Every structure is written in structure tokens, then in C-alpha cells.
């Protein structure tokens, strides 16, 4: 029977056509089917974005207006049919310019990969499972203050530590718990009380992502940051400032597995 890791691997390799085994496995599991549907929807969105590039107005007329030129090194007029080939070359060049423009745009503002999209959705979904605690910390009604030994016992669940945690002096840990954010992987979840509101710090011992990327919805926003042996997730309220704590926490988290 296919396990979840193999299912995700094969689905991400080809969301549009993952194969009969993957589709059959998804049909028997509502959560897996939802993953298939989300991955396919994202692929369609990317494809629509790339194929929706409009041809500049008047491009055809400008190409047709290009004068015929003799072949290099030949004094005779252009041979019959030469203008047709020349037009094709210019048309190809124009297409390349459009393609390069699209790729340049993606380089500057890379679209999220399917794996990033799904991972982000799983993380956001987990936050709503912990919404009661987050709301209580924001309201000031959850005043628990975890000691560093307690924090590191929780962090060890995902193979990490915060070391001495001296940098947390002004950011008390109000919540600390082992959790399961992504199926098949161990993770730990801390909620810190900061000047910008509750800050969720999640470490997951899955393979580091290929690049740091942003996740958000109407309430939460944050970053997934690849580290030595897993990923660090920092998420605050939409109007919070996760970036202010990024360097502090990436320097503080150590992977001990």
C-alpha cells in the first residue's frame, strides 16, 4: 500500500497526470484527494498565467513592415521566399523576447511551487487548530511562561534546541507543544508574546525546502525558512512584523539530530 510520502512525491512530480495508483489512493482518502485537487488547481493557475501573455498591439504590422534585405555577402536581390523566412525569424525573436520577459518576471517575483503552496496550506490549517491559544495570548488571558528547559524538551521532539534562549528575555514563550503539522514528520510549535502580538515559531524535521518563501492568508502571514536539517516557520498576525524576528530566531535554533 502506498504511504503518504510516496503519494506526495509522485503527485508533485506530475500533478496533472500522477498515475492511476495515486488517483486510486486519493479516491480512498478525502485528505489525499483534497491535496490532488489543490495541486491541480495551482498547476492550472500557473499555466493560465503563462499562456495569458498578450501579444503587443501592432506587432504583426510591424513585422510585416520590415524591409527585405539581401543575404550577407550576396549582391543579388533576396531570393523568392526569403522574406517569408526572414519574417519567421523575426517572429521567433519576438516570441523569445516575450518569453524572456515572462521568465524575468518570475525570477523577480517567483511564483510558488506546488510543493510550497501545499506546505503553506498545511501550516496555515494547523494554526487555525491552535487558534484558541493564539487568541488567548493576544488577549492577555494566557500568561503561562515556559522555562528554557521546558522549551527545549518540546523542541527536541523535532530534533532542535534553542540553546540558552537568552534572546527570549523580552519575548516570553506562552505556548510550547509537540505537534504534527505535516503528516509523516515531527514538529514543535512555540508561541511567543512579542510587541507585535503572538509569534508562532514552528520547526519541522522534513527536508529543507529549496528556497525561503512567504505564506499568508487573511489573518496570518509569515515565512518558511530552510535550515540545516529541516525548516523553520515564523508566522504572526497579518499586521505583525515577522521580519524583525527572523535573524534572531534563525540564529537561535540549532539542529541536534
Amino acid at each position: 500500500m502506498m504511504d503518504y510520502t510516496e503519494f506526495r512525491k509522485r503527485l508533485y512530480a506530475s500533478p496533472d497526470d500522477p498515475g492511476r495508483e495515486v488517483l486510486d489512493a486519493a479516491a480512498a482518502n478525502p485528505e489525499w484527494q483534497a491535496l490532488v485537487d489543490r495541486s491541480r488547481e495551482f498547476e492550472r493557475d500557473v499555466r493560465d498565467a503563462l499562456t495569458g501573455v498578450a501579444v503587443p498591439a501592432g506587432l504583426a504590422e510591424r513585422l510585416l513592415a520590415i524591409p527585405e534585405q539581401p543575404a550577407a555577402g550576396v549582391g543579388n536581390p533576396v531570393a523568392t521566399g526569403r522574406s517569408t523566412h526572414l519574417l519567421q525569424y523575426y517572429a521567433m525573436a519576438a516570441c523569445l523576447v516575450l518569453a524572456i520577459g515572462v521568465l524575468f518576471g518570475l525570477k523577480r517575483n517567483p511564483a510558488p511551487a506546488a510543493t510550497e503552496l501545499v506546505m503553506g496550506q498545511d501550516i496555515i490549517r494547523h494554526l487555525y487548530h491552535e487558534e484558541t491559544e493564539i487568541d488567548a495570548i493576544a488577549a492577555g488571558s494566557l500568561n503561562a511562561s515556559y522555562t528554557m528547559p521546558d522549551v527545549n524538551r518540546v523542541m527536541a521532539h523535532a530534533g532542535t534546541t534553542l540553546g540558552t534562549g537568552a534572546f527570549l528575555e523580552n519575548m516570553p514563550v506562552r505556548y510550547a507543544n509537540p505537534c504534527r503539522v505535516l503528516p509523516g514528520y515531527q514538529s514543535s510549535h512555540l508561541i511567543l508574546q512579542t510587541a507585535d502580538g503572538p509569534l508562532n515559531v514552528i520547526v519541522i524535521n522534513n527536508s529543507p525546502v529549496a528556497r525561503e518563501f512567504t505564506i499568508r492568508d487573511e489573518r496570518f502571514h509569515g515565512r518558511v525558512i530552510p535550515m540545516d536539517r529541516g525548516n523553520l516557520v515564523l508566522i504572526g498576525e497579518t499586521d505583525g512584523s515577522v521580519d524583525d524576528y527572523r535573524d534572531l530566531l534563525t540564529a537561535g535554533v540549532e539542529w541536534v539530530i
Side-chain angles (χ1 to χ4, degrees):
M1 181 178 178
M2 187 182 305
D3 63 18
Y4 185 72
T5 300
E6 178 66 16
F7 171 80
R8 288 171 67 108
K9 178 180 178 182
R10 292 169 64 173
L11 173 61
Y12 296 157
S14 181
D16 283 336
D17 185 20
R20 176 48 52 191
E21 285 186 274
V22 171
L23 295 177
D24 288 345
N29 186 315
E31 290 187 3
W32 291 17
Q33 184 61 55
L35 193 61
V36 171
D37 295 340
R38 292 199 303 269
S39 297
R40 285 181 161 179
E41 181 181 359
F42 175 74
E43 289 294 318
R44 286 194 299 270
D45 289 344
V46 171
R47 186 165 53 248
D48 290 346
L50 291 177
T51 57
V53 179
V55 176
L59 177 61
E61 291 78 6
R62 292 200 299 274
L63 290 174
L64 289 171
I66 296 172
E68 296 180 356
Q69 297 293 333
V74 179
N76 297 326
V78 177
T80 302
R82 173 70 174 171
S83 60
T84 301
H85 293 305
L86 188 62
L87 179 59
Q88 290 173 341
Y89 296 148
Y90 276 105
M92 290 173 63
C95 291
L96 284 174
V97 169
L98 289 173
I100 290 170
V102 171
L103 290 174
F104 180 69
L106 290 177
K107 288 288 186 182
R108 293 177 62 189
N109 299 290
T115 50
E116 296 172 355
L117 184 69
V118 173
M119 183 176 178
Q121 289 173 333
D122 287 342
I123 292 169
I124 293 293
R125 186 181 302 112
H126 174 75
L127 290 181
Y128 283 106
H129 284 305
E130 310 293 340
E131 190 173 20
T132 300
E133 287 77 9
I134 296 171
D135 287 344
I137 293 170
S141 58
L142 182 57
N143 295 313
S145 186
Y146 286 78
T147 65
M148 280 312 302
D150 291 335
V151 168
N152 279 326
R153 274 193 290 272
V154 170
M155 296 288 283
H157 186 72
T160 61
T161 178
L162 280 179
T164 62
F167 62 93
L168 295 177
E169 183 177 348
N170 297 317
M171 297 186 294
V173 178
R174 300 300 191 199
Y175 174 89
N177 204 38
C179 58
R180 185 66 62 89
V181 177
L182 304 179
Y185 299 101
Q186 302 297 326
S187 48
S188 301
H189 185 178
L190 309 179
I191 306 178
L192 282 54
Q193 188 169 48
T194 75
D196 295 304
L199 176 66
N200 295 272
V201 180
I202 301 173
V203 287
I204 310 173
N205 67 357
N206 62 327
S207 299
V209 296
R211 60 171 184 172
E212 181 174 332
F213 64 93
T214 299
I215 56 177
R216 67 174 63 240
D217 74 347
E218 63 275 5
R219 174 174 182 181
F220 299 108
H221 88 123
R223 295 179 176 273
V224 178
I225 304 165
M227 299 194 73
D228 292 341
R229 305 174 194 177
N231 295 289
L232 170 66
V233 182
L234 303 178
I235 299 184
E237 301 287 342
T238 299
D239 58 356
S241 182
V242 170
D243 290 345
D244 288 346
Y245 306 100
R246 180 193 178 284
D247 292 344
L248 196 63
L249 285 157
T250 52
V253 173
E254 299 176 5
W255 295 82
V256 295
I257 54 175

